[in-house]
């Protein structure tokens, strides 16, 4: 799993963190730092995760992208200063996540 | 209804709902106006202290929720199911920037507003990035006696692009028309450019159509990763000039081309029905000798489908043929001026690409 995440991070330099969250166990399976943890646990507490398949959130200096599969979620923090192919990143994150299901 | 709400609804009438909320009004007050899937998100928005500038959530019922704080005192919240998200985003970004600028100018006669400048800069970045995928014209021109490109996007970015590669004794040149135009087309063009670069890994001059088969195989794989019905697509016209056998091969899935010979001009058309699942049978393939060929003109349907100044008649392949027959100069300037004459003050309906190669 970590090899695949690493290769995706190498392909997309925009990815600062790639975390994997298990919606059933409410635990992170991969957590690079606590940066995204507060946001995700807050969303989980409010039962938002069941009703979403994808989320993009931008702040002044940060960007977050969340992609959900059946029971797992990819939680990415992105470097807002870098340009990247958004459609391609979304497709690749989705297919990577499917491999972990 | 608020002015911004009504402008958005006028332009995107199929939106489920648009609300400009005062920041002291709870998001949950919209609960009955939105799908049940949005309820927990409305609660979260009320309780969250997260300072975001843009939020977009794709819900499991395939609808989309957008939330954008406007200034200090308002939040714009949109629920969408049918409208094109990329166009909607761009429209809202421009609208908000314009609105803030006009308010500021009205109140304090200040110069251009910061968010409008930011929006312009983002757009310039998009234009710059899309230009990166276009090959250098000088490099292509070395391959032919003469060469020109007319590449007129309907918007600042678009879905048409051209592509070039050299494989041994073979010059490969393609015209690509991606689904959609503007932002949607531009994003698709970035994916298609990568796929095309990957599709020549096993290039064989005897089977030029293999490049397109590889391309659509990969495109199908991408489209299968999507859980909804949305997919991307592209029409391609690929020319292969084999400098050893002096043969030209043209493979197409929607791009047409005129071949000018000393004794006349021939139109090469694609097949009428293109199915990605059965792509081998959908590709029209022609090979012919370079001998007697003086010029080749490939074009996207944005050119043939362009309406005249009276908005009554399409240029059609006959109109393009007339331009070629009356050709005064083999250059982009002549064709651009002819297209402008045809279009007059009418709007440009689609991205337009016309490539000319003199052999």
């Amino acid at each position: 799993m970590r090899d695949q995440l690493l290769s995706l991070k190498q392909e997309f330099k925009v990815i600062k963190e790639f975390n994997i969250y298990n919606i059933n166990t409410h635990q992170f399976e991969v957590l690079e730092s606590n940066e995204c943890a507060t946001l995700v646990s807050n969303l989980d507490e409010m039962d938002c995760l069941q009703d979403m398949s994808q989320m993009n959130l931008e702040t002044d200096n940060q960007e977050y992208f969340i992609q959900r599969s059946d029971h797992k979620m990819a939680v990415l923090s992105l470097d807002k200063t870098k340009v990247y192919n958004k459609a391609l990143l979304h497709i690749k994150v989705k297919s990577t996540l499917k491999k972990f299901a | 209804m608020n002015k911004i709400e009504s402008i958005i609804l006028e332009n995107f009438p199929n939106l489920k709902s648009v609300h400009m909320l005062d920041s002291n009004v709870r998001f949950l007050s919209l609960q009955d106006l939105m799908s049940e899937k949005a309820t927990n998100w409305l609660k979260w928005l009320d309780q969250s202290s997260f300072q975001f500038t843009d939020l977009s959530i794709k819900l499991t019922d395939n609808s989309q929720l957008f939330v954008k704080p406007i200034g200090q005192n308002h939040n714009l919240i949109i629920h969408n199911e049918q409208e094109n998200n990329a166009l909607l985003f761009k429209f809202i970004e421009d609208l908000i920037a314009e609105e803030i600028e006009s308010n500021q100018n009205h109140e304090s006669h200040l110069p251009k507003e910061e968010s409008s400048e930011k929006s312009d800069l983002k757009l310039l970045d998009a234009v710059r990035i899309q230009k990166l995928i276009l090959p250098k014209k000088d490099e292509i021109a070395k391959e032919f006696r003469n060469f020109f490109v007319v590449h007129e996007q309907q918007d600042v970015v678009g879905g048409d692009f051209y592509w070039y590669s050299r494989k041994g004794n073979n010059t490969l040149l393609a015209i690509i028309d991606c689904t959609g135009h503007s932002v949607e087309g531009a994003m698709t063009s970035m994916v298609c450019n990568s796929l095309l670069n990957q599709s020549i890994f096993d290039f064989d001059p005897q089977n030029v159509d293999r490049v397109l088969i590889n391309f659509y195989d990969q495109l199908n794989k991408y489209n299968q990763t999507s859980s909804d019905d949305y997919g991307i697509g592209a029409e391609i016209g690929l020319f292969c000039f084999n400098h050893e056998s002096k043969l030209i091969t043209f493979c197409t899935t929607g791009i047409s081309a005129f071949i000018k010979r000393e004794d006349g001009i021939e139109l090469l058309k694609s097949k009428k029905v293109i199915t990605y699942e059965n792509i081998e049978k959908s590709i029209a393939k022609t090979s012919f000798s370079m001998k007697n060929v003086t010029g080749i003109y490939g074009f996207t349907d944005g050119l043939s489908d362009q309406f005249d100044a009276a908005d009554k008649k399409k240029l059609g392949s006959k109109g393009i043929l007339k331009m070629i027959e009356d050709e005064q100069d083999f250059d982009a300037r002549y064709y651009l001026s002819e297209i402008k004459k045809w279009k007059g003050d009418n709007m440009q309906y689609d991205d337009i690409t016309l490539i000319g190669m003199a052999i």
Side-chain angles (χ1 to χ4, degrees):
Chain A
M1 184 191 278
R2 286 188 187 270
D3 286 347
Q4 289 182 25
L5 297 187
L6 196 62
S7 116
L8 205 62
K9 280 179 88 169
Q10 277 167 351
E11 187 179 349
F12 293 93
K13 302 286 183 206
V14 67
I15 302 175
K16 284 167 71 182
E17 282 187 19
F18 198 130
N19 308 295
I20 305 277
Y21 186 73
N22 189 314
I23 298 165
N24 288 351
T25 61
H26 308 280
Q27 299 284 327
F28 275 94
E29 291 177 4
V30 176
L31 181 61
E32 296 197 51
S33 82
N34 283 327
E35 195 192 316
C36 302
T38 317
L39 170 68
V40 173
S41 61
N42 192 236
L43 290 173
D44 202 0
E45 276 168 26
M46 302 295 292
D47 292 327
C48 293
L49 304 181
Q50 300 299 336
D51 298 323
M52 65 160 271
S53 56
Q54 202 179 71
M55 175 178 130
N56 284 281
L57 189 147
E58 278 186 48
T59 67
D60 279 332
N61 45 20
Q62 190 77 303
E63 197 176 335
Y64 300 93
F65 170 62
I66 299 181
Q67 174 68 53
R68 206 197 111 166
S69 68
D70 287 346
H71 307 300
K72 294 191 183 188
M73 254 176 32
V75 185
L76 280 73
S77 83
L78 307 170
D79 184 345
K80 213 177 164 180
T81 60
K82 288 201 166 69
V83 284
Y84 68 103
N85 185 331
K86 205 168 193 172
L88 199 58
L89 175 71
H90 288 190
I91 288 167
K92 293 229 170 169
V93 168
K94 207 171 177 178
S95 57
T96 306
L97 199 57
K98 272 186 182 170
K99 288 178 198 161
F100 299 154
Chain B
M1 188 184 283
N2 173 287
K3 183 183 161 195
I4 288 183
E5 290 172 353
S6 61
I7 295 173
I8 294 171
L9 275 171
E10 257 171 44
N11 288 278
F12 297 89
N14 297 317
L15 289 172
K16 289 187 101 169
S17 65
V18 180
H19 303 279
M20 185 69 111
L21 285 184
D22 280 348
S23 44
N24 55 2
V25 176
R26 288 166 63 82
F27 283 99
L28 203 56
S29 63
L30 304 172
Q31 182 180 5
D32 296 336
L33 305 169
M34 294 191 177
S35 76
E36 205 184 317
K37 301 278 180 195
T39 306
N40 288 331
W41 283 96
L42 297 175
K43 284 182 195 163
W44 178 77
L45 284 164
D46 280 331
Q47 292 188 16
S48 170
S49 55
F50 219 89
Q51 299 293 314
F52 60 85
T53 52
D54 275 289
L55 171 66
S56 129
I57 307 143
K58 188 173 178 189
L59 300 171
T60 45
D61 61 4
N62 267 334
S63 65
Q64 196 113 11
L65 208 60
F66 303 120
V67 189
K68 188 174 180 64
I70 311 291
Q72 301 284 321
N73 304 319
H74 294 91
N75 288 300
L76 178 67
I77 178 161
I78 298 177
H79 194 194
N80 177 34
E81 196 168 340
Q82 293 177 35
E83 298 284 3
N84 181 306
N85 285 324
L87 289 177
L88 179 64
F89 276 143
K90 175 77 176 61
F91 181 83
I92 290 168
E93 197 168 297
D94 289 350
L95 177 68
I96 301 300
E98 271 173 31
E99 195 62 22
I100 293 172
E101 184 181 11
S102 107
N103 284 345
Q104 287 217 340
N105 287 343
H106 181 70
E107 284 164 15
S108 59
H109 307 289
L110 280 176
K112 201 175 184 189
E113 212 272 333
E114 191 188 343
S115 67
S116 173
E117 280 176 10
K118 197 177 160 190
S119 163
D120 288 348
L121 286 173
K122 279 185 181 173
L123 212 54
L124 284 175
D125 278 343
V127 175
R128 187 173 52 79
I129 293 161
Q130 205 187 22
K131 279 188 177 162
L132 287 178
I133 67 169
L134 295 177
K136 285 182 183 158
K137 289 179 199 165
D138 296 349
E139 212 169 304
I140 306 175
K142 285 178 194 162
E143 302 274 358
F144 304 102
R145 191 166 55 80
N146 208 341
F147 169 81
F148 73 82
V149 181
V150 174
H151 186 234
E152 292 284 292
Q153 311 271 36
Q154 188 220 28
D155 203 342
V156 285
V157 288
D160 276 14
F161 68 102
Y162 50 99
W163 174 94
Y164 157 79
S165 182
R166 176 93 193 197
K167 279 276 186 185
N169 280 328
N170 300 278
T171 300
L172 298 169
L173 188 66
I175 302 169
I176 303 97
D177 179 358
C178 299
T179 325
H181 41 80
S182 193
V183 179
E184 183 193 4
M187 293 192 79
T188 306
S189 73
M190 304 303 282
V191 176
C192 290
N193 181 59
S194 303
L195 295 185
L196 206 46
N197 286 329
Q198 291 163 26
S199 299
I200 51 168
F201 72 96
D202 60 349
F203 177 74
D204 171 10
Q206 305 301 319
N207 295 294
V208 178
D209 51 345
R210 173 52 53 191
V211 176
L212 297 195
I213 294 167
N214 288 344
F215 174 88
Y216 286 104
D217 277 351
Q218 293 181 80
L219 193 71
N220 285 339
K221 279 180 196 156
Y222 267 119
N223 284 337
Q224 279 161 12
T225 61
S226 171
S227 60
D228 48 37
D229 291 335
Y230 186 77
I232 57 173
E235 295 176 346
I236 305 183
L238 173 67
F239 297 94
C240 173
F241 300 84
N242 187 313
H243 302 287
E244 198 175 12
S245 63
K246 303 286 176 199
L247 270 180
I248 301 169
T249 304
F250 177 54
C251 300
T252 178
T253 56
I255 303 293
S256 303
F258 279 107
I259 311 299
K260 190 177 184 182
R261 294 188 176 87
E262 285 158 4
D263 56 353
I265 301 174
E266 180 192 2
L267 174 63
L268 301 181
K269 288 201 281 192
S270 64
K271 291 191 179 170
K272 281 190 179 157
V273 182
I274 312 285
T275 51
Y276 287 3
E277 291 74 23
N278 195 7
I279 199 67
E280 291 187 39
K281 288 187 178 164
S282 299
I283 298 170
K285 183 181 170 184
T286 325
S287 286
F288 49 93
S289 167
M290 286 183 194
K291 201 179 169 189
N292 298 330
V293 174
T294 53
I296 297 178
Y297 307 79
F299 54 93
T300 56
D301 59 7
L303 177 58
S304 47
D305 290 345
Q306 176 61 47
F307 278 88
D308 62 359
D311 205 29
K312 295 220 162 128
K313 196 177 163 197
K314 284 182 181 180
L315 178 63
S317 47
K318 280 185 186 166
I320 302 169
L321 176 63
K322 179 89 173 56
M323 286 180 190
I324 297 170
E325 284 172 341
D326 297 346
E327 187 179 88
Q328 289 162 4
D329 299 299
F330 188 90
D331 63 16
R333 206 181 311 165
Y334 163 75
Y335 283 94
L336 204 51
S337 119
E338 288 299 300
I339 294 165
K340 284 188 176 161
K341 256 191 249 168
W342 173 261
K343 183 170 77 67
D345 290 331
N346 198 355
M347 66 177 280
Q348 184 178 328
Y349 281 87
D350 195 1
D351 303 327
I352 289 176
T353 302
L354 166 70
I355 287 186
M357 295 150 273
I359 311 287

